[in-house]
Amino acid sequence: MTSQSRAVLGIALTPVFALAAADPAAAHATAAATGTATATSATAAGTAVAGVETRAPGPWGTRALHAPAPNPGEASGGLNALVSAGDGALVSLTRDGRSTRIRPAGSTRWLTPQTWPDAGGYSTELASLGDGSVRLAWRAERADDHGNHWLKVATLAPGATAFSEPEYVAAVPEKGYHHLAAAPDGRLIAVWSVSGVVRAAEKTGPQAAWTAPVGLNGQPPSGSRDIANMDLAVAKDGTALLVWQWQASNAVVALEKAPGASAWTAVEGFPVPDKDLARPKVFADPQGGFDVFYDDLAHLMYSHRPAGATQWSTPQSADSDGSTYRMTAPVYLPNGDLFVAGGPTTPWYAVRSAATGRWLPYSQRFSTHQKVRHVAAAATSGGTVTVTWREGYSYEEYTMAAVFKGGTWSTPRRLSAKSAQFTGAPQVAADALGRPVVLWDEYLRSETNSTVLDGVYEATATGRALPKWRDYTDDGKADLFGRGSAGLKVYAGDATKLTAGQRASGWPTGTLVLPFGDLDGDRCNDVFVRSPKGEARVHPTICGGGLPDQQSLSMRVSSDWSAYNAVVSPGDVTGDGRADLLTRSASTGKLYLYANNGAGGFKARALAGSGFGGYKKLIAAGDLNGDGRNDLLAIDASNELWRFNGTGAGTFKPRSLVFKDWGTSYKDVVGGSDLSGDGRADLLSLDKDGRAWLNRGNGKGGFDSRSQVGKSTSWSDIRIS
């Protein structure tokens, strides 16, 4: 896969989060009910909006794609590469480089393979290019009648279900480097090496012929006719950047060609030094300009040149254990962060913050296993990156995957159903819906002690059931948030014990952090956060993958909700299965409903009730009386606990008394959790002495007497929600 194709794979399917403010008194438009990010404008009073991609990976499902067969278009060639076209169609290349298979956009069926008889081995390159097409380029293994080997290109146009007939680019040697890249306007550039001389040709349009090859350098340095590395990328403005390194002298050469220019010129101030194994790689930044990575001793180094600039940024160390050797292509995240990973020896990943322009601390891991190889990554929907790798030792290897989102990793999942004696390099790409599709081949030892292909396998993130309200550990049970000096934690368990899970970084004093339902449509419960200054955001999470922190990806709901002195996350109160929000005006005591619009945002606020100003605390209660509708609890100034039965239409019935003189010793009260496991919503309270108490729901709208929960846990410095 070329540099350009790798860059396109990292950006073409990356959804962009459109973040819009929604002031309680301001005017805003409702986010459009589509599956893509939606920019919003101010029109409807009191509307809270967050535009967001509505789909994201769910659980994995694995199937055998092809069994071994004598047909070279089947699995007999194993797997070499997998790419995604601009329309979401998937294309795979067999390990022998002779056959391609296509899975059209919107389909799960792979079409009959196309075979390329004179292609083969490492001379075949499958590339997803910036014009939405997929190209196959190869050096013909067999010479023609005149003794020439040809560099050939076949094209899969957007929407097509088969590659075109091959185009002849140029006569070339049988072996050597070659790369193919495309400008956004569809201009194709091919480069290759011939005995130390690098040549290039261009094709300006679908009907145009390839230009005559031109040499880009004279004779190679004395004693060095072999090129160790070559890479090519085309920027957003059409500028092409080509880099290579001489094997003997280690000298690095960088050339560029601006759109419309007649010749390639030397790149000014190219930051890669002439060092052994610098291995430079170049990528087109989707915002314009180029990103360059190279090795400097034990460090993966990075430099950037913005669009229109001539100077490169001062090189930064991206990772102390990273290397361009088998590094993934950069994935450009919706918030502008840049993600790379690798693992020829030790697994690593690195993230460059768009906000600070710096790389995060070194030595980060996505797997605890040290025998990790063949790491691949693809941008997938919901602002996620899906990373795959091969893990294990000889005679027992597995294909693994994990999802990165907002600074957090999901638990690694084993995709292969059984261990294989040898597993080929897994490949990952995103389909038309942004879901990850992973292919890999598995090999077994035969009776004659030779390695034989067992089959090619496919894993796809499948659908997901709606998450249970307040479930953040993916165990089907409601959980509890606890915030203290150690940061934010999720507590899961039962009436006898609550166990703290992974910690998230701390939040500023005065921050309101609430469990929320699924806003972005990925069927993972999200987290609502209101800052001390009033800004309201919803932070998506990874299903079962932990809690967000301040730096994680988020959608702004409102620029200022400080006018509300209570915000409650009651689950679904409108009867549509989606989680909603309730707010209370500090000045009027009116209760407002922000109903989930099903498109990653909220509808215009609606009045849910009046006269709520005299209550000290509003509590999301869940369904207390068994009528299938979520209710609301409130504690008044006299410490009486009242129940407001939900109507299922976003409003509540008149209040009913639950307890008299209740809650004087409690600093926090949380409803809706079924800690007793009887299917009824319970009430959990923390007193001022740091003890947790449970009142089991009786299913009739009331509660039993309290009992202590988690006796071994000190809750003295913890606030729950």
Side-chain angles (χ1 to χ4, degrees), residues 3-16 36 53 55 83-89 128-134 284-287 329-334 377-382 384 429-435:
S3 299
Q4 177 70 4
S5 68
R6 292 191 299 264
V8 169
L9 181 60
I11 64 174
L13 295 172
T14 305
V16 178
T36 56
E53 163 66 48
R55 297 172 295 266
V83 300
S84 177
D87 63 355
S128 176
L129 302 183
D131 59 357
S133 69
V134 173
D285 189 315
Q287 301 302 318
V331 174
Y332 298 88
L333 296 169
T380 41
S381 61
T384 62
D431 68 8
L433 295 180
R435 297 173 302 193

Short mmCIF file of all heavy atoms in Angstrom, two decimals, residues 3-16 36 53 55 83-89 128-134 284-287 329-334 377-382 384 429-435:
data_model
loop_
_atom_site.label_atom_id
_atom_site.label_comp_id
_atom_site.label_asym_id
_atom_site.label_seq_id
_atom_site.Cartn_x
_atom_site.Cartn_y
_atom_site.Cartn_z
N SER A 3 2.04 5.34 0.37
CA SER A 3 1.84 6.36 1.39
C SER A 3 0.53 7.08 1.18
O SER A 3 -0.21 7.35 2.11
CB SER A 3 2.99 7.38 1.33
OG SER A 3 4.21 6.75 1.57
N GLN A 4 0.24 7.42 -0.09
CA GLN A 4 -0.99 8.15 -0.35
C GLN A 4 -2.21 7.31 0.01
O GLN A 4 -3.16 7.79 0.63
CB GLN A 4 -1.06 8.55 -1.83
CG GLN A 4 -2.36 9.26 -2.23
CD GLN A 4 -2.44 10.64 -1.63
OE1 GLN A 4 -1.52 11.09 -0.98
NE2 GLN A 4 -3.55 11.30 -1.82
N SER A 5 -2.18 6.03 -0.35
CA SER A 5 -3.34 5.19 -0.03
C SER A 5 -3.49 5.03 1.46
O SER A 5 -4.61 5.00 1.98
CB SER A 5 -3.19 3.82 -0.70
OG SER A 5 -2.12 3.09 -0.13
N ARG A 6 -2.38 4.92 2.18
CA ARG A 6 -2.47 4.79 3.62
C ARG A 6 -3.06 6.05 4.23
O ARG A 6 -3.87 6.00 5.15
CB ARG A 6 -1.10 4.50 4.22
CG ARG A 6 -0.57 3.12 3.85
CD ARG A 6 0.65 2.80 4.69
NE ARG A 6 1.72 3.75 4.47
CZ ARG A 6 2.73 3.54 3.62
NH1 ARG A 6 2.77 2.45 2.91
NH2 ARG A 6 3.69 4.44 3.49
N ALA A 7 -2.66 7.21 3.71
CA ALA A 7 -3.19 8.46 4.25
C ALA A 7 -4.67 8.58 3.98
O ALA A 7 -5.45 9.01 4.83
CB ALA A 7 -2.45 9.64 3.64
N VAL A 8 -5.09 8.18 2.77
CA VAL A 8 -6.51 8.26 2.44
C VAL A 8 -7.32 7.34 3.33
O VAL A 8 -8.39 7.68 3.83
CB VAL A 8 -6.72 7.91 0.96
CG1 VAL A 8 -8.20 7.73 0.66
CG2 VAL A 8 -6.15 9.02 0.09
N LEU A 9 -6.83 6.13 3.56
CA LEU A 9 -7.54 5.21 4.43
C LEU A 9 -7.71 5.80 5.82
O LEU A 9 -8.72 5.57 6.48
CB LEU A 9 -6.76 3.89 4.54
CG LEU A 9 -7.39 2.80 5.41
CD1 LEU A 9 -8.76 2.43 4.86
CD2 LEU A 9 -6.49 1.58 5.46
N GLY A 10 -6.75 6.60 6.25
CA GLY A 10 -6.85 7.19 7.57
C GLY A 10 -7.80 8.36 7.66
O GLY A 10 -8.22 8.74 8.74
N ILE A 11 -8.18 8.97 6.52
CA ILE A 11 -9.01 10.17 6.63
C ILE A 11 -10.35 10.04 5.94
O ILE A 11 -11.31 10.69 6.35
CB ILE A 11 -8.28 11.40 6.03
CG1 ILE A 11 -8.06 11.21 4.53
CG2 ILE A 11 -6.98 11.65 6.74
CD1 ILE A 11 -7.48 12.44 3.85
N ALA A 12 -10.47 9.21 4.93
CA ALA A 12 -11.68 9.24 4.14
C ALA A 12 -12.91 8.83 4.91
O ALA A 12 -14.00 9.30 4.66
CB ALA A 12 -11.52 8.32 2.92
N LEU A 13 -12.75 7.95 5.87
CA LEU A 13 -13.89 7.45 6.63
C LEU A 13 -13.91 7.97 8.05
O LEU A 13 -14.62 7.45 8.89
CB LEU A 13 -13.87 5.91 6.62
CG LEU A 13 -14.07 5.31 5.24
CD1 LEU A 13 -13.83 3.82 5.29
CD2 LEU A 13 -15.44 5.61 4.71
N THR A 14 -13.11 9.00 8.33
CA THR A 14 -13.09 9.56 9.68
C THR A 14 -14.20 10.57 9.82
O THR A 14 -14.17 11.60 9.18
CB THR A 14 -11.75 10.24 9.97
OG1 THR A 14 -10.71 9.30 9.73
CG2 THR A 14 -11.69 10.73 11.40
N PRO A 15 -15.23 10.31 10.65
CA PRO A 15 -16.29 11.30 10.81
C PRO A 15 -15.80 12.51 11.58
O PRO A 15 -14.95 12.42 12.43
CB PRO A 15 -17.36 10.53 11.60
CG PRO A 15 -16.59 9.52 12.36
CD PRO A 15 -15.42 9.13 11.49
N VAL A 16 -16.36 13.66 11.25
CA VAL A 16 -16.02 14.90 11.94
C VAL A 16 -17.15 15.27 12.87
O VAL A 16 -18.31 15.30 12.49
CB VAL A 16 -15.79 16.03 10.92
CG1 VAL A 16 -15.48 17.33 11.64
CG2 VAL A 16 -14.65 15.67 9.98
N THR A 36 -24.57 11.02 9.80
CA THR A 36 -23.29 11.69 9.69
C THR A 36 -23.26 12.92 10.55
O THR A 36 -24.28 13.40 11.02
CB THR A 36 -23.01 12.09 8.23
OG1 THR A 36 -24.10 12.92 7.78
CG2 THR A 36 -22.92 10.88 7.34
N GLU A 53 -21.39 11.39 14.36
CA GLU A 53 -21.59 10.15 13.61
C GLU A 53 -22.33 9.16 14.50
O GLU A 53 -21.98 8.95 15.65
CB GLU A 53 -20.22 9.59 13.21
CG GLU A 53 -20.20 8.15 12.80
CD GLU A 53 -20.98 7.91 11.53
OE1 GLU A 53 -20.77 8.65 10.57
OE2 GLU A 53 -21.79 7.00 11.52
N ARG A 55 -22.91 5.86 14.14
CA ARG A 55 -22.58 4.44 14.17
C ARG A 55 -21.17 4.24 14.70
O ARG A 55 -20.30 5.04 14.42
CB ARG A 55 -22.71 3.82 12.78
CG ARG A 55 -24.10 3.87 12.21
CD ARG A 55 -24.10 3.41 10.76
NE ARG A 55 -23.35 4.33 9.92
CZ ARG A 55 -23.90 5.32 9.25
NH1 ARG A 55 -25.20 5.54 9.34
NH2 ARG A 55 -23.17 6.11 8.50
N VAL A 83 -7.91 -2.99 1.42
CA VAL A 83 -8.10 -1.54 1.40
C VAL A 83 -9.58 -1.23 1.22
O VAL A 83 -10.38 -2.08 0.79
CB VAL A 83 -7.29 -0.85 0.28
CG1 VAL A 83 -5.80 -1.12 0.45
CG2 VAL A 83 -7.78 -1.29 -1.09
N SER A 84 -9.93 0.01 1.53
CA SER A 84 -11.30 0.49 1.38
C SER A 84 -11.33 1.57 0.32
O SER A 84 -10.52 2.49 0.32
CB SER A 84 -11.80 1.04 2.72
OG SER A 84 -13.11 1.56 2.59
N ALA A 85 -12.29 1.47 -0.61
CA ALA A 85 -12.46 2.49 -1.64
C ALA A 85 -13.19 3.69 -1.06
O ALA A 85 -13.72 3.64 0.06
CB ALA A 85 -13.23 1.91 -2.82
N GLY A 86 -13.26 4.75 -1.82
CA GLY A 86 -13.91 5.95 -1.35
C GLY A 86 -15.38 5.76 -1.03
O GLY A 86 -15.92 6.47 -0.17
N ASP A 87 -16.06 4.82 -1.70
CA ASP A 87 -17.47 4.57 -1.43
C ASP A 87 -17.69 3.50 -0.37
O ASP A 87 -18.83 3.15 -0.08
CB ASP A 87 -18.21 4.19 -2.71
CG ASP A 87 -17.69 2.87 -3.32
OD1 ASP A 87 -16.70 2.32 -2.78
OD2 ASP A 87 -18.26 2.41 -4.32
N GLY A 88 -16.62 2.99 0.23
CA GLY A 88 -16.74 1.99 1.28
C GLY A 88 -16.65 0.56 0.78
O GLY A 88 -16.73 -0.37 1.58
N ALA A 89 -16.49 0.36 -0.54
CA ALA A 89 -16.24 -1.00 -1.04
C ALA A 89 -14.89 -1.47 -0.51
O ALA A 89 -13.97 -0.67 -0.30
CB ALA A 89 -16.25 -1.02 -2.56
N SER A 128 -5.50 2.40 -2.20
CA SER A 128 -6.72 3.21 -2.16
C SER A 128 -6.28 4.67 -2.29
O SER A 128 -5.53 5.17 -1.46
CB SER A 128 -7.47 2.98 -0.85
OG SER A 128 -8.60 3.82 -0.76
N LEU A 129 -6.75 5.36 -3.33
CA LEU A 129 -6.21 6.66 -3.67
C LEU A 129 -7.19 7.79 -3.39
O LEU A 129 -8.37 7.58 -3.14
CB LEU A 129 -5.77 6.68 -5.13
CG LEU A 129 -4.73 5.61 -5.52
CD1 LEU A 129 -4.32 5.76 -6.96
CD2 LEU A 129 -3.51 5.69 -4.61
N GLY A 130 -6.64 9.03 -3.45
CA GLY A 130 -7.38 10.20 -3.03
C GLY A 130 -8.57 10.55 -3.90
O GLY A 130 -9.40 11.37 -3.50
N ASP A 131 -8.68 9.98 -5.09
CA ASP A 131 -9.82 10.27 -5.94
C ASP A 131 -10.97 9.29 -5.73
O ASP A 131 -11.94 9.29 -6.47
CB ASP A 131 -9.40 10.26 -7.41
CG ASP A 131 -8.80 8.92 -7.85
OD1 ASP A 131 -8.67 8.02 -6.99
OD2 ASP A 131 -8.47 8.77 -9.04
N GLY A 132 -10.86 8.45 -4.69
CA GLY A 132 -11.92 7.48 -4.38
C GLY A 132 -11.76 6.14 -5.06
O GLY A 132 -12.52 5.20 -4.79
N SER A 133 -10.78 6.03 -5.94
CA SER A 133 -10.57 4.77 -6.66
C SER A 133 -9.63 3.85 -5.89
O SER A 133 -8.99 4.25 -4.92
CB SER A 133 -9.97 5.05 -8.04
OG SER A 133 -8.64 5.53 -7.90
N VAL A 134 -9.56 2.60 -6.35
CA VAL A 134 -8.55 1.64 -5.89
C VAL A 134 -7.75 1.23 -7.11
O VAL A 134 -8.32 0.91 -8.16
CB VAL A 134 -9.18 0.42 -5.21
CG1 VAL A 134 -8.13 -0.64 -4.90
CG2 VAL A 134 -9.89 0.84 -3.92
N ALA A 284 0.35 12.58 3.37
CA ALA A 284 -0.38 13.81 3.11
C ALA A 284 -1.33 14.09 4.26
O ALA A 284 -2.18 13.26 4.59
CB ALA A 284 -1.16 13.69 1.80
N ASP A 285 -1.18 15.25 4.88
CA ASP A 285 -2.08 15.67 5.95
C ASP A 285 -3.41 16.09 5.32
O ASP A 285 -3.42 16.86 4.36
CB ASP A 285 -1.47 16.84 6.71
CG ASP A 285 -2.24 17.20 7.97
OD1 ASP A 285 -3.48 17.27 7.91
OD2 ASP A 285 -1.61 17.42 9.01
N PRO A 286 -4.54 15.60 5.80
CA PRO A 286 -5.84 15.96 5.20
C PRO A 286 -6.14 17.45 5.26
O PRO A 286 -6.94 17.94 4.48
CB PRO A 286 -6.85 15.14 6.01
CG PRO A 286 -6.16 14.81 7.27
CD PRO A 286 -4.71 14.67 6.93
N GLN A 287 -5.51 18.17 6.20
CA GLN A 287 -5.71 19.61 6.29
C GLN A 287 -4.77 20.37 5.34
O GLN A 287 -4.86 21.59 5.25
CB GLN A 287 -5.49 20.08 7.73
CG GLN A 287 -6.40 19.43 8.74
CD GLN A 287 -7.86 19.66 8.41
OE1 GLN A 287 -8.26 20.76 8.03
NE2 GLN A 287 -8.68 18.62 8.56
N ALA A 329 -0.05 3.57 9.06
CA ALA A 329 -0.24 4.89 8.51
C ALA A 329 -0.93 5.77 9.54
O ALA A 329 -1.71 5.28 10.36
CB ALA A 329 -1.10 4.81 7.25
N PRO A 330 -0.65 7.07 9.56
CA PRO A 330 -1.33 7.93 10.52
C PRO A 330 -2.85 7.91 10.32
O PRO A 330 -3.33 7.87 9.19
CB PRO A 330 -0.76 9.32 10.21
CG PRO A 330 0.51 9.07 9.48
CD PRO A 330 0.31 7.81 8.73
N VAL A 331 -3.56 7.95 11.42
CA VAL A 331 -5.01 8.13 11.38
C VAL A 331 -5.28 9.52 11.97
O VAL A 331 -4.85 9.82 13.08
CB VAL A 331 -5.73 7.05 12.20
CG1 VAL A 331 -7.22 7.36 12.26
CG2 VAL A 331 -5.51 5.68 11.57
N TYR A 332 -5.95 10.35 11.20
CA TYR A 332 -6.24 11.72 11.62
C TYR A 332 -7.62 11.74 12.26
O TYR A 332 -8.64 11.52 11.60
CB TYR A 332 -6.16 12.66 10.43
CG TYR A 332 -4.78 12.68 9.81
CD1 TYR A 332 -4.43 11.77 8.81
CD2 TYR A 332 -3.82 13.58 10.24
CE1 TYR A 332 -3.15 11.78 8.26
CE2 TYR A 332 -2.54 13.60 9.68
CZ TYR A 332 -2.22 12.70 8.70
OH TYR A 332 -0.96 12.70 8.16
N LEU A 333 -7.67 11.99 13.57
CA LEU A 333 -8.90 11.88 14.34
C LEU A 333 -9.77 13.13 14.18
O LEU A 333 -9.30 14.18 13.75
CB LEU A 333 -8.56 11.66 15.81
CG LEU A 333 -7.82 10.35 16.09
CD1 LEU A 333 -7.29 10.32 17.51
CD2 LEU A 333 -8.74 9.16 15.85
N PRO A 334 -11.07 13.02 14.49
CA PRO A 334 -11.98 14.14 14.28
C PRO A 334 -11.57 15.42 14.99
O PRO A 334 -11.87 16.51 14.52
CB PRO A 334 -13.32 13.61 14.82
CG PRO A 334 -13.22 12.14 14.68
CD PRO A 334 -11.78 11.80 14.94
N ALA A 377 -4.02 -0.46 11.37
CA ALA A 377 -4.98 0.46 11.98
C ALA A 377 -5.83 1.10 10.90
O ALA A 377 -5.36 1.32 9.77
CB ALA A 377 -4.26 1.54 12.79
N ALA A 378 -7.08 1.40 11.24
CA ALA A 378 -7.98 2.09 10.31
C ALA A 378 -8.91 3.00 11.09
O ALA A 378 -9.31 2.67 12.21
CB ALA A 378 -8.80 1.08 9.49
N ALA A 379 -9.23 4.14 10.51
CA ALA A 379 -10.22 5.03 11.10
C ALA A 379 -11.60 4.40 10.93
O ALA A 379 -11.97 4.01 9.83
CB ALA A 379 -10.18 6.39 10.42
N THR A 380 -12.33 4.27 12.02
CA THR A 380 -13.67 3.72 11.97
C THR A 380 -14.64 4.72 12.59
O THR A 380 -14.24 5.71 13.18
CB THR A 380 -13.73 2.36 12.69
OG1 THR A 380 -12.95 2.41 13.91
CG2 THR A 380 -13.14 1.26 11.82
N SER A 381 -15.92 4.47 12.44
CA SER A 381 -16.92 5.48 12.78
C SER A 381 -16.95 5.77 14.27
O SER A 381 -16.43 5.03 15.09
CB SER A 381 -18.30 5.01 12.31
OG SER A 381 -18.66 3.81 12.96
N GLY A 382 -17.60 6.86 14.61
CA GLY A 382 -17.69 7.27 16.00
C GLY A 382 -16.41 7.86 16.53
O GLY A 382 -16.21 7.94 17.73
N THR A 384 -13.41 6.57 16.25
CA THR A 384 -12.57 5.49 16.78
C THR A 384 -11.47 5.12 15.80
O THR A 384 -11.53 5.40 14.61
CB THR A 384 -13.41 4.24 17.07
OG1 THR A 384 -14.00 3.77 15.84
CG2 THR A 384 -14.53 4.55 18.06
N ALA A 429 -9.85 -2.59 7.47
CA ALA A 429 -10.35 -1.44 6.72
C ALA A 429 -11.77 -1.18 7.18
O ALA A 429 -12.40 -2.03 7.83
CB ALA A 429 -10.29 -1.70 5.21
N ALA A 430 -12.29 0.00 6.84
CA ALA A 430 -13.65 0.37 7.23
C ALA A 430 -14.59 0.19 6.05
O ALA A 430 -14.25 0.51 4.91
CB ALA A 430 -13.68 1.81 7.72
N ASP A 431 -15.79 -0.33 6.33
CA ASP A 431 -16.78 -0.51 5.28
C ASP A 431 -17.56 0.78 5.07
O ASP A 431 -17.24 1.83 5.63
CB ASP A 431 -17.69 -1.71 5.57
CG ASP A 431 -18.60 -1.49 6.77
OD1 ASP A 431 -18.66 -0.36 7.31
OD2 ASP A 431 -19.28 -2.45 7.18
N ALA A 432 -18.63 0.71 4.27
CA ALA A 432 -19.39 1.91 3.92
C ALA A 432 -20.06 2.55 5.13
O ALA A 432 -20.37 3.75 5.10
CB ALA A 432 -20.44 1.57 2.86
N LEU A 433 -20.30 1.78 6.19
CA LEU A 433 -20.90 2.32 7.40
C LEU A 433 -19.85 2.70 8.44
O LEU A 433 -20.18 3.06 9.57
CB LEU A 433 -21.86 1.29 8.02
CG LEU A 433 -23.10 0.96 7.17
CD1 LEU A 433 -23.97 -0.07 7.89
CD2 LEU A 433 -23.90 2.20 6.88
N GLY A 434 -18.58 2.61 8.06
CA GLY A 434 -17.52 2.95 9.00
C GLY A 434 -17.19 1.85 9.97
O GLY A 434 -16.43 2.06 10.91
N ARG A 435 -17.75 0.65 9.78
CA ARG A 435 -17.47 -0.46 10.69
C ARG A 435 -16.18 -1.16 10.29
O ARG A 435 -15.90 -1.30 9.10
CB ARG A 435 -18.63 -1.46 10.68
CG ARG A 435 -19.93 -0.89 11.18
CD ARG A 435 -21.07 -1.86 10.97
NE ARG A 435 -21.21 -2.24 9.57
CZ ARG A 435 -22.28 -2.87 9.08
NH1 ARG A 435 -23.26 -3.21 9.88
NH2 ARG A 435 -22.35 -3.17 7.80
#
